[in-house]
Amino acid sequence: MAPESLRETEGEEQELPPQVYRRLNSLADLPTKGRISHTGYVQSVSYSAAGEHPSLTAVVVDRLGGAPGRRGSQWHVKLNFMGQRTVPGIKPGVKIAYGGMVAPVGHVPTIYNPRYVILPQRVR
C-alpha cells in the first residue's frame, strides 16, 4: 500500500499527515526549524547558472499581490529543488501544496527537495 503522504483526492486540497508535518495556516507561523506543510503561491523562480550544479529555487508566499511595500516585507519560504534545472509546473502564479523540513539558510527559511502538489486555480 502507498504511504499516506500526498494522496490524490478529487476536488480536495492535498494534506500531509498531521503527526509528521505541522500544518501552517500562514507563513507568519513558520517555525525556525521543523517539518511543515502549507499551501501557497509561487511568487518567483530562479535557476542556477550554467556552470553550477543544477538547482531551481521557487519563492512561495501566502498570497500573490497585496499592498505595495519594500521588497522582502512579505512572509516567504524558499523551495530549493536540488539536481534539477526545471521542475514541470513550477512557475510564478501557481498554487501549490508543499511540505518538508524547513531550516534557516542565510536567515531565509528554506526547504530542500520538498514534496509538492500543484493545485488547480479557481476560475473567477
Side-chain angles (χ1 to χ4, degrees), residues 50-66:
E52 296 178 4
H53 292 288
S55 147
L56 180 140
T57 302
V59 176
V60 177
V61 294
D62 285 327
R63 66 186 70 73
L64 294 173

Side-chain angles (χ1 to χ4, degrees), residues 57-80:
T57 302
V59 176
V60 177
V61 294
D62 285 327
R63 66 186 70 73
L64 294 173
R70 70 177 217 271
R71 185 180 172 124
S73 62
Q74 189 174 11
W75 290 98
H76 64 279
V77 64
K78 286 187 176 182
L79 305 182
N80 198 323

